Amino acid sequence: MAWLERFYPDVYLDSAYEIDYEGLYEQGYRGVIFDIDNTLVTHGAPADDKSIALFVRLRNIGLASMLLSNNKEPRVKMFHDKVHSPYIYKAGKPSVKSYKKAMELMGTDESTTFFVGDQLFTDVWGAKKAGIKAFLVKPIHPKEEIQIVLKRRLEWIVLFFYKRHRKGESYENKR
């Protein structure tokens, strides 16, 4: 199942809000690219106090940020208007082009950028193809459009093998 590894995240967490952004900055990261829906807020929701505070925190750390969404501009701009992060809409994820454009706009490169999203086949795969560290977070809310629900079923299979792979790594590292 080695071909599945192209979809494996580098890090898998419960929430974008539990990432150690300060620690990543200390490691040399200077930019973060975010998906919006079900990564930072529920699908279609405006920025809330928690997400606004996160972007203030990122600015205080010195991390550049970029919103990268496959949604249309009105949805992405609504979120941007509250968090004041630049954005790319209709990004065409998992195409590498938008990830590269985001890094160019932030003034970062593959070694200084990481991505945070909730979907394996768009967010994580695109980030990995672009050569950047990929954080997968659990979706905030289970209510999603039907095409995403269908993709989630396939993601469960990939995550099953990912978790099994990670357990094997842990076992090997203990030897």
Side-chain angles (χ1 to χ4, degrees):
M1 293 296 209
W3 64 273
L4 284 179
E5 291 180 19
R6 74 183 81 188
F7 302 112
Y8 290 178
D10 296 300
V11 180
Y12 183 33
L13 298 170
D14 287 335
S15 168
Y17 297 99
E18 70 180 50
I19 294 171
D20 179 9
Y21 296 99
E22 290 82 1
L24 288 162
Y25 185 85
E26 288 174 14
Q27 292 174 33
Y29 289 95
R30 295 298 179 259
V32 55
I33 304 170
F34 286 102
D35 175 53
I36 300 171
D37 287 326
N38 253 344
T39 297
L40 296 169
V41 293
T42 58
H43 187 79
D48 56 12
D49 290 342
K50 191 174 185 179
S51 58
I52 294 167
L54 174 61
F55 283 86
V56 168
R57 177 179 163 203
L58 295 173
R59 282 190 286 282
N60 289 337
I61 294 168
L63 277 170
S65 66
M66 179 70 62
L67 304 171
L68 189 66
S69 176
N70 284 347
N71 271 305
K72 295 176 183 169
E73 188 173 23
R75 191 284 172 267
V76 181
K77 186 176 181 323
M78 173 181 64
F79 192 85
H80 151 83
D81 287 347
K82 297 286 186 182
V83 301
H84 308 292
S85 179
Y87 63 90
I88 297 172
Y89 64 95
K90 290 173 117 180
K93 294 181 288 182
S95 170
V96 172
K97 184 179 176 184
S98 294
Y99 292 84
K100 298 284 187 187
K101 181 70 173 171
M103 288 186 275
E104 179 186 317
L105 292 170
M106 290 190 297
T108 61
D109 61 28
E110 293 85 351
S111 67
T112 60
T113 307
F114 62 98
F115 183 87
V116 181
D118 71 302
Q119 291 189 53
L120 286 175
F121 302 128
T122 51
D123 298 331
V124 169
W125 190 28
K128 294 197 58 131
K129 289 191 315 181
I132 61 177
K133 184 177 188 109
F135 283 76
L136 177 69
V137 296
K138 293 179 181 173
I140 291 174
H141 194 276
K143 185 175 187 250
E144 297 178 298
E145 297 171 350
I146 187 65
Q147 70 271 18
I148 296 173
V149 171
L150 296 173
K151 281 195 280 185
R152 294 280 186 215
R153 303 250 189 251
L154 295 172
E155 285 183 353
W156 292 339
I157 296 166
V158 175
L159 286 172
F160 170 81
F161 287 104
Y162 166 77
K163 289 172 185 173
R164 197 162 95 179
H165 173 78
R166 297 298 292 191
K167 282 183 183 174
E169 277 183 4
S170 298
Y171 174 74
E172 290 300 319
N173 289 338
K174 292 178 186 174
R175 295 177 86 197

